[in-house]
Amino acid sequence: MMTHTTRIIPNSLQQIFEISPQLKHFPKGTYIFYEGTEPDELYLIRKGTVAVSKLLSDGRELTLRICSRNDIVGELLLFSQNPTYMFHAKALEDSEVLTVSKLSLEKHLESDSDSALAYMKWISIQYRRTQTKIRDLLMNGKKGALYSTLIRLANSYGVETESGIIVTLPLTNQELANLSGTSREVINRMLNDLKTKKVLSIEKGIITIHNILYLKTAIHCENCPIEICCME
C-alpha cells in the first residue's frame, strides 16, 4: 500500500494548462529553467521526475523539491517585481512538461476567480513545504536534516511492506546529500550508522525504512499533514 495519496491538481488549475498548452521534452540531466534567469512560463509535469535545487555559496547543492507527474513547477516567483529564479529545475530522468506563458496565465487568473483562488492556495502550500524543510535543516542539524528527508521520501514515494517502507525513488548518496544540505561523506557515515542500528537498509539505491518511528522520535516529529511533509 502506498503511504501517500496520488497527486491530483484541482480542475481549475488543470484548466490553466488548457489555455494554449505547449508540450516540451527535457532529456535526463537537462535544465527546465536556470537560477538567475527571468521566469516567463509555468510548468506542469506530465512525465518524469524533476529536482528543484539551489546552488549554495560553497558549491554544494540543496535540493528543495523532487517533483513528478501532476506537480507544478516555477510558480513561486512568476508575479514578483523584477523576478529572477532563486532555484533551478533539472530533469532527473527523461521528462515531459506542459507550459503556459506568464501573459496567458495572468489573463486567465484575472478572468477566472476560481482559478485565481486555487493558484493562491497552491502557492501557499509550496511556501509551507519550503518553510518546514528549512526549519528542519536549521533546527535539527545534519542528522535531523537527513532524518526529515527520509520521512518526506517515505511520505512521497513509500510503499508499505512487511519488512518496512520501501522508497521507490532510487537515490544516490550524493542526491541524498543534496536533499539534506550536507556532504556525501557525512551522509555515508550517517547511513552506515542507521544500517548498523537496523533502522534502514539500502540495495541498489533503493532505501527500505524498517523503523520510521526511530527517525520521527529523533527529530521530535510534529506529524505535519502529508501534503506539507513531502518532497513535492
Side-chain angles (χ1 to χ4, degrees), residues 146 173 176 187-195 200 202:
L146 172 62
N173 284 10
L176 272 177
I187 290 296
N188 291 344
R189 289 196 297 270
M190 290 193 291
L191 288 176
N192 287 332
D193 179 60
L194 291 174
K195 291 177 188 176
L200 57 75
I202 304 175

Side-chain angles (χ1 to χ4, degrees), residues 36-51:
T37 58
E38 182 178 351
D40 58 3
E41 289 182 316
L42 188 65
Y43 307 91
L44 174 67
I45 300 172
R46 276 306 189 201
K47 177 184 175 183
T49 307
V50 173

Side-chain angles (χ1 to χ4, degrees), residues 203-223:
E203 185 174 351
K204 296 181 179 179
I206 298 295
I207 300 170
T208 300
I209 301 173
H210 306 294
N211 187 354
I212 197 165
L213 182 60
Y214 176 92
L215 302 176
K216 290 184 175 183
T217 301
I219 64 170
H220 308 290
C221 179
E222 298 177 1
N223 291 312

Side-chain angles (χ1 to χ4, degrees), residues 2-220:
M2 299 297 291
T3 62
H4 69 289
T5 56
T6 304
R7 300 174 183 87
I8 300 176
I9 63 174
N11 288 336
S12 51
L13 277 182
Q14 179 71 42
Q15 291 171 3
I16 290 173
F17 292 90
E18 297 172 358
I19 304 169
S20 54
Q22 294 187 16
L23 184 65
K24 294 186 178 181
H25 301 265
F26 293 91
K28 178 180 178 179
T30 59
Y31 287 84
I32 296 174
F33 56 79
Y34 292 91
E35 185 174 341
T37 58
E38 182 178 351
D40 58 3
E41 289 182 316
L42 188 65
Y43 307 91
L44 174 67
I45 300 172
R46 276 306 189 201
K47 177 184 175 183
T49 307
V50 173
V52 177
S53 306
K54 171 74 175 177
L55 189 63
L56 304 180
S57 58
D58 59 5
R60 288 183 295 118
E61 191 172 32
L62 172 61
T63 300
L64 293 170
R65 297 170 60 190
I66 296 182
C67 306
S68 301
R69 177 175 171 80
N70 286 340
D71 281 326
I72 294 175
V73 181
E75 74 279 17
L76 295 183
L77 295 171
L78 205 56
F79 296 117
S80 302
Q81 187 174 10
N82 301 319
T84 56
Y85 283 120
M86 299 172 62
F87 316 110
H88 58 260
K90 181 180 180 180
L92 298 182
E93 56 187 358
D94 292 348
S95 302
E96 295 179 352
V97 301
L98 282 175
T99 71
V100 61
S101 71
K102 176 180 177 180
L103 180 60
S104 295
L105 173 62
E106 187 172 358
K107 289 181 178 178
H108 182 75
L109 295 180
E110 286 178 349
S111 63
D112 188 330
S113 59
D114 288 341
S115 293
L117 181 59
Y119 186 74
M120 287 189 290
K121 287 181 177 179
W122 184 274
I123 289 178
S124 176
I125 289 173
Q126 296 308 325
Y127 271 122
R128 288 180 63 192
R129 289 173 178 169
T130 301
Q131 287 171 347
T132 56
K133 175 149 191 175
I134 297 300
R135 176 202 65 191
D136 292 340
L137 292 174
L138 292 176
M139 294 183 61
N140 296 311
K142 295 176 181 179
K143 182 179 290 187
L146 172 62
Y147 289 10
S148 64
T149 295
L150 291 170
I151 293 168
R152 292 170 191 273
L153 286 168
N155 287 340
S156 296
Y157 299 97
V159 177
E160 292 182 359
T161 68
E162 291 184 0
S163 61
I165 300 173
I166 298 176
V167 178
T168 57
L169 178 69
L171 291 168
T172 65
N173 284 10
Q174 182 60 62
E175 288 168 337
L176 272 177
N178 293 348
L179 286 166
S180 305
T182 187
S183 67
R184 182 166 56 93
E185 292 73 20
V186 169
I187 290 296
N188 291 344
R189 289 196 297 270
M190 290 193 291
L191 288 176
N192 287 332
D193 179 60
L194 291 174
K195 291 177 188 176
T196 300
K197 295 176 179 176
K198 301 188 184 302
V199 175
L200 57 75
S201 57
I202 304 175
E203 185 174 351
K204 296 181 179 179
I206 298 295
I207 300 170
T208 300
I209 301 173
H210 306 294
N211 187 354
I212 197 165
L213 182 60
Y214 176 92
L215 302 176
K216 290 184 175 183
T217 301
I219 64 170
H220 308 290

